[in-house]
Amino acid sequence: MSSHLEKCARSLLVCEKSSFMNEASRHETHVCKHSFNYKISVLIPECGVLPADIANVISHFKSYFLVRDLPVYKFLDAKFLDTVKKGGFYALSYKTRIDEDNVVALLSSGHLVLSLDKDTYQQLGLEGKPSEYKHRKDMRYVVTVDLTDKSLVPGTKRFQQVLLSLKERVPLKSDFLLTRCPPGAEEDGELQALLSQHTYEECRPTVISRSLTDIPRPSLHPSDLRGNAHSCTPVQFLEWLGSVNLNIRCNNSASSFLSTYVCPEPCATVNKVLLCTVTGFIPPEDVYALLQELRRCLAEPGFTDWVSLTVHGFADSPVSWGAAEHGFLKGGENFYNLVCFKNQDYWLHMATGSQDGCPP
Amino acid sequence: MDEEPSSYERVAYKNDSVYHYMKICLIFGNERKPLSAEQFKQLIISGLKELYGEVGAAFPFDVLTFDQFVLSAILRVYNNGLVKLWSALTLIGSCENESCAFRVTQVSSSVSKLILVLKSTGTSCRSL
Amino acid sequence: MSVFMDLNILAITDKKKLQSTIETAAHLGYSTVAINYVVEPQQKKQQIPKPESVTELFEKFPIVQGKSRPIKVLNRLTVVATDASHFRPSNEYKSFDILAVYPKTEKLFHAACMTYDVDIICIAVTEKQPFHCKRSPVNGAIERGVSFEISYTAAIRDSTMKKYTIANAINLTEVCKGKNVILTSGAEVPIELRGPYDIANLGLVFGLSEGDAKAAVSTNCRAVVLHGETRATALGIIHTMKRMQPTGQEQEEESPAAKKAKVVKV
């Protein structure tokens, strides 16, 4: 009995150190493969107001759409399919839980991912594979349909089969969050036209900025990722980031009854810290644009020596990075954090909970 | 550039986080009791003591934040104490003879991940 | 994993209070609850209650937290048996979606595990279980797809019962190896309910593994509901066998089964 009581769920944290200037740097891949982003927060030390250039990039983040009761087979409509094939299309079923319900996601690659409970899977009749995160028996299956596949055009046998499954056998439908980041020029109102037959609302990402004063902050040195001498450890740094976000006091004494949390060493007190958070259904393209702008700002003289960008994924998304399966045991968390330094070095922290693959 | 670009380095930590964090809220069945942060913590300690005895009452956890108006808090606990703290919270059923319950809104191995909760105005941390 | 369920919300006559408890269950994330009618035949020839029609409980069923769909409510009967004569399958049992028995003696426990046509066998939580849960009847029950129930409300109400609940639960999980256990509330008022993840965690205190504990509030409960359905539709099988010489009685038997199927469908 006691063995269960002291065990705790697995968590993974992968840290990378590299430079944006390094040709082999995979920062763009990492950002772009994390499809479903719920919240991003930018932390800039020694800064009181959000620089106009950054605010401008954020104000150009794409709108997203909340569609009610969208049948999944609609993605196979000729018009939808055309749009999906152009790329940059993101969709995620809304208010569905990955450990209880059927969850549907459409990745920008055109892959439609269905994470289904056993009953639905058996009725659907599309081939899939059992979920990697199971207990005793397979209770959840993942079906992936590549909508860009050449054999999947109206008229083919495969197309008919998929349509029959999704339309007749199990008419799956759900509320969806949709957004689109077309690679080329945007055709105005394309998504709206697709959604015209459904009830939907257009939403803007919510932006909140606040300025904090006189708080201790840990010192970071770009070459010391592990926190051996000049920096704190990655785990300590992430804890501090969280404490700033949550307004947690960190000037406690060791004998305090309530809390003994203190800012990790080595640390210094800064005058002000700017914290800006954006919440919504944010496509990775927008995250990348923000990252590029932060890098540009860092290069300007007089700007702080590091900034941090944290990106949280949807807890109930069926995928985390790329098409890697994502589960939910207790927390379902998946997020990454980028610390960018003045010399174009960066640290990347990627964390996943107990039911996730290792980050790429 | 003042420094050479750093060489690539990758480290993977498994279960490196020492702590778990819980976002909780105390609710009452009938009449709400006003509680200070210290009384709030004391209530949890008494729950731990009832379920796990003196050793349970002694193990450390932190009340990182406390909101006395809605009686919500963020707790920090060592990983190996999470299950015990959580189960003690679950089985606390009264406070000063008034029926009550702890609602756990989120549990996480990193505070950074707890941020998600605060955003949502409802109890759900898993949707917008 | 399947959706979260609490298959034991105590049936009380105060409809407002019952509604409020079910609302709280929906708010905590339970997708299905069962209203539990308890009958103790030992006490002054108690009648088997007629369950209230579930559809009349709410005009609009509360929405499950974080989802777009309303909570599903089932009816359950628990027969407290101190004597073999107490458990008598009858038509009155058939008006319930789920059937449970709470055997008070070792003999009855054995019979419940091996032969009774029930979905749930209740484990004592308000007293020290007066007999051992032996391996062979427990395994027999598991093979027949019958589940064991531990409800946690007693453990919240009283510190002595907390000890009984934990001790009886550990004795059970040790024998059944964590299989076919369901965790339910047995709550009378909303404040006694706890969230599904809280209960999955509490399962660890009862000696369940992490996976088994989560299954005890989800997958295993689903199995109980399905078991209840097949118990009801087993009538349908009898029906096909008897087809050679139809009688008027079957039609009567057929209708509750058909009705049940309708209720069960999401």
Side-chain angles (χ1 to χ4, degrees):
Chain A
M1 169 188 155
S2 56
S3 64
H4 295 317
L5 290 183
E6 306 226 319
K7 232 166 45 183
C8 90
R10 181 195 75 156
S11 66
L12 279 178
L13 176 67
V14 172
C15 308
E16 283 188 8
K17 178 187 74 143
S18 185
S19 165
F20 291 118
M21 313 305 278
N22 189 336
E23 276 176 26
S25 169
R26 296 189 299 159
H27 62 278
E28 188 175 357
T29 329
H30 283 309
V31 172
C32 291
K33 276 195 152 179
H34 200 266
S35 297
F36 302 112
N37 305 302
Y38 160 75
K39 177 169 190 162
I40 57 182
S41 58
V42 179
L43 184 137
I44 312 173
E46 311 292 355
C47 176
V49 254
L50 192 65
D53 291 341
I54 295 173
N56 187 39
V57 170
I58 292 175
S59 71
H60 282 87
F61 274 14
K62 297 281 179 302
S63 296
Y64 59 95
F65 299 85
L66 172 58
V67 194
R68 301 287 177 193
D69 280 332
L70 183 72
V72 177
Y73 76 83
K74 283 281 173 185
F75 289 119
L76 295 169
D77 266 13
K79 276 186 193 159
F80 247 108
L81 216 48
D82 279 347
T83 318
V84 168
K85 281 178 183 169
K86 283 184 212 157
F89 197 131
Y90 298 88
L92 182 64
S93 56
Y94 180 56
K95 289 200 171 180
T96 51
R97 301 196 155 185
I98 193 75
D99 53 347
E100 299 182 70
D101 305 317
N102 296 318
V103 178
V104 181
L106 179 64
L107 310 180
S108 68
S109 60
H111 285 80
L112 182 67
V113 181
L114 311 165
S115 176
L116 307 169
D117 62 42
K118 192 177 164 188
D119 297 338
T120 313
Y121 176 71
Q122 285 172 343
Q123 285 165 31
L124 191 69
L126 288 176
E127 201 186 327
K129 58 178 185 348
S131 164
E132 289 178 39
Y133 311 108
K134 62 160 181 183
H135 169 68
R136 290 197 198 267
K137 278 181 283 184
D138 288 326
M139 293 300 290
R140 174 164 292 276
Y141 290 81
V142 181
V143 175
T144 308
V145 181
D146 183 359
L147 297 182
T148 61
D149 192 340
K150 285 196 187 72
S151 70
L152 202 76
V153 286
T156 62
K157 202 175 151 194
R158 169 87 178 134
F159 184 84
Q160 288 307 327
Q161 189 207 354
V162 175
L163 193 63
L164 175 78
S165 292
L166 291 172
K167 201 172 175 179
E168 313 281 337
R169 288 208 189 114
V170 190
L172 271 181
K173 62 176 183 178
S174 169
D175 295 352
F176 270 94
L177 294 169
L178 296 171
T179 191
R180 188 159 143 66
C181 261
E186 188 166 8
E187 291 147 61
D188 249 357
E190 198 176 345
L191 257 180
Q192 284 94 325
L194 286 177
L195 300 176
S196 59
Q197 292 165 4
H198 303 273
T199 317
Y200 72 89
E201 50 189 293
E202 184 172 349
C203 316
R204 289 294 304 156
T206 319
V207 187
I208 299 168
S209 282
R210 61 195 165 101
S211 179
L212 308 159
T213 46
D214 292 325
I215 57 163
R217 72 150 164 114
S219 313
L220 302 179
H221 195 271
S223 64
D224 188 12
L225 170 70
R226 294 165 196 250
N228 291 334
H230 309 293
S231 311
C232 57
T233 68
V235 173
Q236 286 175 330
F237 176 66
L238 292 177
E239 183 179 46
W240 175 81
L241 261 187
S243 74
V244 173
N245 268 282
L246 294 175
N247 258 333
I248 292 172
R249 282 157 29 99
C250 54
N251 48 354
N252 301 299
S253 76
S255 61
S256 162
F257 172 66
L258 281 181
S259 166
T260 54
Y261 175 64
V262 288
C263 178
E265 300 277 336
C267 73
T269 300
V270 283
N271 290 326
K272 38 194 180 175
V273 165
L274 184 92
L275 186 68
C276 173
T277 56
V278 188
T279 324
F281 185 62
I282 305 160
E285 284 85 347
D286 283 344
V287 179
Y288 190 67
L290 178 61
L291 174 64
Q292 293 295 78
E293 187 56 38
L294 286 174
R295 283 179 55 193
R296 211 190 52 74
C297 287
L298 263 177
E300 281 173 16
F303 204 67
T304 162
D305 44 342
W306 59 264
V307 298
S308 138
L309 170 69
T310 315
V311 182
H312 294 269
F314 277 81
D316 286 294
S317 158
V319 293
S320 48
W321 271 276
E325 191 186 343
H326 171 67
F328 188 107
L329 188 66
K330 277 182 187 163
E333 53 255 317
N334 64 91
F335 82 104
Y336 64 88
N337 179 66
L338 272 160
V339 186
C340 314
F341 294 97
K342 226 178 177 57
N343 67 351
Q344 297 291 325
D345 275 4
Y346 71 89
W347 293 352
L348 173 64
H349 305 107
M350 296 178 282
T352 52
S354 44
Q355 297 197 337
D356 254 308
C358 187
Chain B
M1 222 176 306
D2 44 0
E3 274 180 72
E4 280 292 294
S6 279
S7 56
Y8 177 76
E9 184 182 342
R10 179 179 165 108
V11 212
Y13 299 92
K14 191 174 173 183
N15 302 335
D16 195 61
S17 171
V18 190
Y19 298 105
H20 262 74
Y21 303 84
M22 305 181 79
K23 172 129 177 72
I24 62 170
C25 180
L26 179 65
I27 56 162
F28 284 94
N30 303 306
E31 202 188 330
R32 228 187 74 169
K33 300 261 173 189
L35 284 181
S36 68
E38 285 76 14
Q39 288 169 314
F40 185 84
K41 186 166 181 180
Q42 198 56 53
L43 174 66
I44 300 172
I45 292 174
S46 63
L48 276 165
K49 188 171 178 183
E50 188 172 335
L51 198 55
Y52 296 106
E54 291 294 341
V55 178
F59 87 64
F61 69 95
D62 294 312
V63 180
L64 294 181
T65 65
F66 177 70
D67 181 333
Q68 61 175 347
F69 298 103
V70 289
L71 299 180
S72 69
I74 294 173
L75 308 183
R76 180 174 81 157
V77 61
Y78 285 110
N79 286 337
N80 58 13
L82 173 71
V83 174
K84 286 181 182 172
L85 176 62
W86 194 349
S87 52
L89 288 170
T90 303
L91 293 179
I92 291 172
S94 66
C95 167
E96 298 173 23
N97 296 321
E98 190 63 53
S99 62
C100 70
F102 277 100
R103 298 282 177 240
V104 176
T105 20
Q106 204 183 1
V107 174
S108 171
S109 60
S110 152
V111 217
S112 302
K113 303 169 194 168
L114 270 190
I115 299 164
L116 284 170
V117 194
L118 278 208
K119 158 67 188 79
S120 53
T121 42
T123 49
S124 172
C125 50
R126 295 166 71 181
S127 45
L128 284 173
Chain C
M1 287 291 156
S2 85
V3 294
F4 294 117
M5 305 189 190
D6 181 354
L7 297 181
N8 189 350
I9 304 265
L10 221 53
I12 46 172
T13 41
D14 184 343
K15 193 175 164 188
K16 273 240 164 68
K17 219 178 220 174
L18 183 62
Q19 283 173 332
S20 141
T21 307
I22 293 171
E23 272 161 18
T24 305
H27 186 72
L28 287 172
Y30 291 101
S31 290
T32 304
V33 292
I35 301 174
N36 185 20
Y37 295 81
V38 182
V39 60
E40 299 189 40
Q42 186 198 12
Q43 286 178 358
K44 316 172 220 153
K45 293 193 177 163
Q46 257 197 25
Q47 293 286 312
I48 291 168
K50 282 250 174 307
E52 293 264 340
S53 165
V54 165
T55 45
E56 276 162 33
L57 199 58
F58 290 99
E59 229 160 73
K60 206 166 167 265
F61 277 77
I63 300 293
V64 181
Q65 192 239 105
K67 299 192 188 180
S68 324
R69 58 163 189 265
I71 194 167
K72 200 165 87 180
V73 182
L74 305 171
N75 278 318
R76 154 181 167 174
L77 177 70
T78 302
V79 180
V80 182
T82 41
D83 186 272
S85 64
H86 292 155
F87 185 79
R88 286 279 148 102
S90 69
N91 268 333
E92 283 157 313
Y93 287 6
K94 286 173 191 155
S95 35
F96 295 90
D97 303 291
I98 298 168
L99 184 56
V101 64
Y102 176 14
K104 292 280 213 178
T105 68
E106 180 157 21
K107 222 174 127 192
L108 289 169
F109 180 76
H110 194 274
C113 287
M114 304 308 284
T115 59
Y116 284 7
D117 192 10
V118 293
D119 309 310
I120 297 172
I121 296 169
C122 309
I123 299 299
V125 288
T126 51
E127 58 178 3
K128 186 92 181 68
Q129 184 106 335
F131 51 85
H132 292 289
C133 295
K134 291 216 178 94
R135 209 167 286 271
S136 72
V138 167
N139 286 343
I142 293 171
E143 257 168 50
R144 296 199 305 127
V146 178
S147 300
F148 297 97
E149 174 191 52
I150 302 159
S151 52
Y152 59 80
T153 294
I156 291 174
R157 284 190 198 142
D158 182 291
S159 72
T160 316
M161 291 186 190
K162 193 176 291 178
K163 286 170 200 146
Y164 294 144
T165 306
I166 295 172
N168 295 343
I170 290 174
N171 283 339
L172 171 76
T173 52
E174 188 58 39
V175 175
C176 73
K177 303 216 170 9
K179 284 183 201 158
N180 288 39
V181 176
I182 64 166
L183 297 175
T184 64
S185 66
E188 254 179 76
V189 288
I191 200 79
E192 289 170 340
L193 283 173
R194 297 294 183 268
Y197 293 98
D198 298 338
I199 299 313
N201 180 73
L202 186 64
L204 304 180
V205 179
F206 293 162
L208 296 170
S209 71
E210 203 161 54
D212 285 333
K214 204 171 172 186
V217 279
S218 58
T219 321
N220 295 357
C221 296
R222 171 182 173 271
V224 167
V225 174
L226 291 179
H227 195 265
E229 279 172 38
T230 36
R231 201 170 34 75
T233 46
L235 297 167
I237 299 168
I238 298 165
H239 171 74
T240 36
M241 282 164 72
K242 277 188 188 169
R243 202 168 236 178
M244 302 303 282
Q245 22 177 208
T247 65
Q249 205 201 337
E250 296 159 21
Q251 302 228 310
E252 222 174 73
E253 281 178 342
E254 195 185 21
S255 55
K259 212 166 97 193
K260 205 147 284 173
K262 221 190 245 167
V263 178
V264 167
K265 209 165 179 195
V266 187

